Amino acid sequence: MFKTLLLVSAVAAGGLALYPEWRAAHQAPPQLTIRYKAGSPATAAVAQPWLEVVNTSDKRVRLSDVAVRYYFTGDGASSYAFNCVKAAVGCSNIAGETVAPADPTPTADHYLQISFTTGAGSLAPGAKSGAIGLQLYRPDGRKLDQLDDRSFNAADTTFQASRTVTAYLRGVHVWGDEPTGPAGSTGHAASARGSSVPRPRPAHPRGIVFDDFHYSGPDDPALHAHGWLVRTSPGGPGIHDTWSAAGVSFPAEKTAAGGQVLQLRASTDGTKASTKQAEVQSSGTHFLTGTYAARIYFNDKPTSGRNGDHVNESFYTISPNNSRYSELDNEYMPNGGWGAPGPKLDTTSWYSADTGDRVTHKLVSSLQGWHTMMITAVDGVATYSVDGHKLFSSSGRYFPRQNMSINFNTWFVDLPFTGPRSWDMQVNWFYYKADKAQSLENVQMAVNGLYDSGTHYINTVPKH
């Protein structure tokens, strides 16, 4: 009898020991698998995780039903920002947010969550999304220490399945081990914790450009990938041949929507040798008719040094050559310029820069602070407005005839005195709607919706 009991006990113990292997062998495969590779070293100014979604189910999966979380520790920073650098499905179809969850762990007190619009399409069984290159950084410019980040693995220099990155399908946890512990099995339908997993979002309509300037610096590859150039080329306006990347930055700003801005600084000591002017312009000229809008912070006083400069804080569009020249200008000069006193805003529509053929309007008023600047160019009429108040319209020969680029800059008309000083203009966001005149209310509604969805950048304007 005693021997029989021992035999039964041994068999039972063996069965229990083998149960995990049996369960794994008979368990359904996960519906999704997330593959990861590290694009930056452990200590870096910008973390560069690369992710790929793989449909490991036997059914087609819409990417708009998918959310992915990459976990990291906060390094004591108050805020983080992200952007998409490259994606086979298009960065315009990817949204994201950084979240501090209610149940942090030592290696995961934050996560970056990305989601997709319906424009990202769907994955057939066995199909992959293609590589998604992301950036995660601190707007204060301090480096990140990724060694204690849950999802970081410096050894993964090629794509590998990563269980420290989690995935959710229609709000259900289907891949990876959440930071509070394994979810049991990858097929377990556990609800996502932290912020809610986004619901499917429609694809962005065609003919829209939006950017809220979430970049780590003037050399950020995402800045160029999203269609912007930092000017360092010679020429004018202002003090010729003084354009520099040194004045372009993307600092955190509490008064800005989204908490970050494009800052353009012009600095000088009164000599050309020390002068640095700043400009960011679109790298393509795919803009013609429609609505142009930007939220801009104008300054009436220098950030440092003595006041009195004839400084120009500008937002304008311009064509690349003179054959069918087109230019629409907003130029704010707090201390005036070209012999005219300030503060003033010149709004100008050009026909020819060579002959000076233009029509212009002058608003004599301080614009210190944030303002939404708009130009609509539709049906042969270009109209300028500030905060929804119409200033001026031009038509006929003064309506754009050629595709234009977008330009933001801060520059000196002249150098009237010596001594160090600097001037800053900030841009919160830029929005463009092709071929349609929109009101301030419609623009703001669209921009608010983009912020609410976690969208930092989109471009659905067809390239000609």
Side-chain angles (χ1 to χ4, degrees), residues 186-206:
T186 54
H188 179 59
S191 296
R193 290 183 291 273
S195 75
S196 60
V197 176
R199 295 179 179 179
R201 296 186 298 111
H204 299 297
R206 287 173 62 84

Side-chain angles (χ1 to χ4, degrees), residues 209 213 227-229 262 279-288 291-294 296 314-319 328 375 403-409 427 429-432:
V209 176
F213 300 105
W228 299 104
L229 292 176
L262 160 62
E279 178 175 313
V280 170
Q281 64 187 66
S282 62
S283 56
T285 55
H286 310 300
F287 304 90
L288 185 57
T291 298
Y292 301 81
I296 299 176
S314 305
F315 161 44
Y316 63 97
T317 69
I318 190 170
S319 63
L328 305 173
I375 306 172
N403 283 4
M404 301 173 290
S405 64
I406 308 300
N407 297 256
F408 299 98
N409 57 21
V427 185
W429 50 258
F430 169 74
Y431 173 89
Y432 172 73

Side-chain angles (χ1 to χ4, degrees), residues 247-248 263-268 276-278 297-313 332-336 368 409-412 414-417 419-426:
V248 177
Q263 181 166 283
L264 299 160
R265 172 170 292 182
S267 61
T268 187
K276 292 182 175 63
Q277 303 183 139
Y297 191 95
F298 294 116
N299 268 308
D300 283 354
K301 296 180 180 180
T303 305
S304 64
R306 172 184 164 189
N307 201 350
D309 274 306
H310 299 135
V311 69
N312 195 314
E313 304 167 30
Y332 181 63
M333 289 165 277
N335 294 316
Q368 171 69 41
N409 57 21
T410 307
W411 50 280
F412 297 105
D414 50 31
L415 301 174
F417 58 90
R421 64 270 193 189
S422 63
W423 289 81
D424 291 331
M425 180 181 90
Q426 295 180 334

Side-chain angles (χ1 to χ4, degrees), residues 340-373:
K344 65 168 184 167
L345 172 72
D346 286 352
T347 49
T348 307
S349 298
W350 290 78
Y351 179 78
S352 172
D354 291 338
T355 64
D357 189 352
R358 67 196 187 277
V359 289
T360 188
H361 173 273
K362 182 189 302 181
L363 172 67
V364 180
S365 177
S366 170
L367 292 181
Q368 171 69 41
W370 286 111
H371 298 279
T372 300
M373 312 298 295

Side-chain angles (χ1 to χ4, degrees), residues 49-70:
W50 287 79
L51 304 175
E52 186 175 58
V53 181
V54 184
N55 180 5
T56 42
S57 75
D58 59 0
K59 297 180 180 179
R60 182 171 289 274
V61 171
R62 294 182 303 180
L63 281 170
S64 59
D65 289 336
V66 175
V68 180
R69 289 180 179 175
Y70 177 90

